[in-house]
């Protein structure tokens, strides 16, 4: 039985942004179907995080439009997990995670239970009453991911959410992220520098050029989900990885 699609559509057209007078995005077009997972790869500093801010409704483009389910993008329509975890220093780990559920309408008891379950799933049982300053960078990212999951948002914008994790924890959380997203039919846009991660998780991979960023290549990942870690050695993904690298080189991203 297939997963019921519940996530929103995302449509961006002709996005242009400059920072300090220098162009960052140069006419970005992006369409994400309901329940689709799209990964963005490109060189550091090309504007991927700026693009996520536009999709989240946190910044207005100088040119172009962003629509979520046909309506103009607004803060809160999509859940953004930034590179920095943005945890609240004065709240415990449990309180930080439960806040994600409270902000979307859950009562205190339900939010607390969901937070405990998510923290256990992410290997953080026993850390519920710790404060963020006592955690490693990787643990803080796991707390941020738990908060995202319990918030129950229909669309996720993920800015290198697993970047500070060791390889073993990273692959474990890739599995959890993929399972959670597919079960809920969540729409997702992932920024990552890890091509294998993009190919393992996404339905499509878009390659961005150096700044000012443009979409220079698009790849459909046709392997069925779920994709175990061993899938990265599948000939289909091995070939795609080479094509993504070639597109990055061709754009000037790799020198």
């Amino acid at each position: 039985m297939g997963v019921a699609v519940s996530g929103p559509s995302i449509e961006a057209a002709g996005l242009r942004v400059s920072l300090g007078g220098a162009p960052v995005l140069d006419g970005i077009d992006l369409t994400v179907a309901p329940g689709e997972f799209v990964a963005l790869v490109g060189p550091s500093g090309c504007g991927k995080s700026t693009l996520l801010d536009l999709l989240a409704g946190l910044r207005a483009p100088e040119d172009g439009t962003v629509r979520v389910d046909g309506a103009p993008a607004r803060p809160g329509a999509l859940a953004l997990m930034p590179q920095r975890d943005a945890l609240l220093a004065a709240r415990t780990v449990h309180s930080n995670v439960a806040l994600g559920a409270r902000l979307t309408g859950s009562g205190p008891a339900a939010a607390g239970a969901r937070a405990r379950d998510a923290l256990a799933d992410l290997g953080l049982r026993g850390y519920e009453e710790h404060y963020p300053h006592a955690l490693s960078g990787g643990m803080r990212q796991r707390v941020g991911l738990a908060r995202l999951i319990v918030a129950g948002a229909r669309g996720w914008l993920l800015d290198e959410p697993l970047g500070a994790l060791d390889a073993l924890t990273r692959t474990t959380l890739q599995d959890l992220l993929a399972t959670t997203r597919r079960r809920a039919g969540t729409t997702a846009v992932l920024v990552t520098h890890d091509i294998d991660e993009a190919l393992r998780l996404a339905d499509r991979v878009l390659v961005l050029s150096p700044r000012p960023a443009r979409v220079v290549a698009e790849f459909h990942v046709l392997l069925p989900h779920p994709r175990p870690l061993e899938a990265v050695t599948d000939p289909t993904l091995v070939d795609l990885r080479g094509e993504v690298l070639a597109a990055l080189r061709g754009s000037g991203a790799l020198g």
Side-chain angles (χ1 to χ4, degrees), residues 12-234:
L15 297 182
R16 286 184 169 82
V17 171
S18 298
L19 295 176
V24 176
L25 302 180
D26 183 24
I28 294 282
D29 295 319
L30 173 68
T31 300
V32 186
E36 187 180 20
F37 196 134
V38 171
L40 305 175
V41 298
S44 296
C46 75
K48 299 184 295 295
S49 296
T50 299
L51 176 55
L52 290 193
D53 285 345
L54 295 175
L55 300 181
L58 301 178
R59 179 193 295 270
E62 293 162 15
D63 264 320
T65 59
V66 179
R67 305 187 75 82
V68 178
D69 263 352
R74 58 174 179 78
L78 301 170
L80 173 64
M81 185 175 175
Q83 290 181 19
R84 296 183 178 178
D85 54 65
L87 299 180
L88 300 175
R91 287 179 175 264
T92 65
V93 164
H94 180 267
S95 180
N96 264 286
V97 175
L99 181 63
R102 292 298 308 276
L103 292 176
T104 54
S106 292
R114 289 170 63 191
R116 283 190 292 275
D117 288 345
L119 289 168
D121 287 342
L122 290 168
L124 291 169
R125 190 188 301 276
Y127 290 91
E128 292 88 348
E129 300 309 313
H130 286 59
Y131 286 85
H133 69 82
L135 305 180
S136 68
M139 292 173 74
R140 289 174 64 108
Q141 269 191 303
R142 282 188 272 167
V143 175
L145 182 57
R147 184 172 59 184
L148 178 82
I149 289 171
V150 303
R154 298 170 57 239
W156 294 347
L157 304 173
L158 308 166
D159 196 351
E160 290 280 357
L162 309 179
L165 303 177
D166 62 87
L168 179 59
T169 303
R170 183 169 186 148
T171 56
T172 299
L173 294 192
Q174 286 172 355
D175 290 337
L176 179 63
L177 184 67
T179 299
T180 303
R181 189 201 69 81
R182 283 181 53 76
R183 184 181 298 131
T186 307
T187 305
V189 179
L190 167 72
V191 164
T192 180
H193 287 95
D194 187 330
I195 296 173
D196 287 335
E197 180 171 87
L199 294 174
R200 189 177 177 219
L201 295 177
D203 302 305
R204 280 188 295 138
V205 177
L206 303 184
V207 177
L208 302 185
S209 70
R211 195 182 282 199
R214 297 169 289 107
V215 176
V216 294
E218 175 183 32
F219 300 94
H220 292 262
V221 188
L222 301 179
L223 246 59
H225 295 282
R227 297 175 192 146
L229 179 60
E230 296 75 17
V232 297
T233 63
D234 183 283

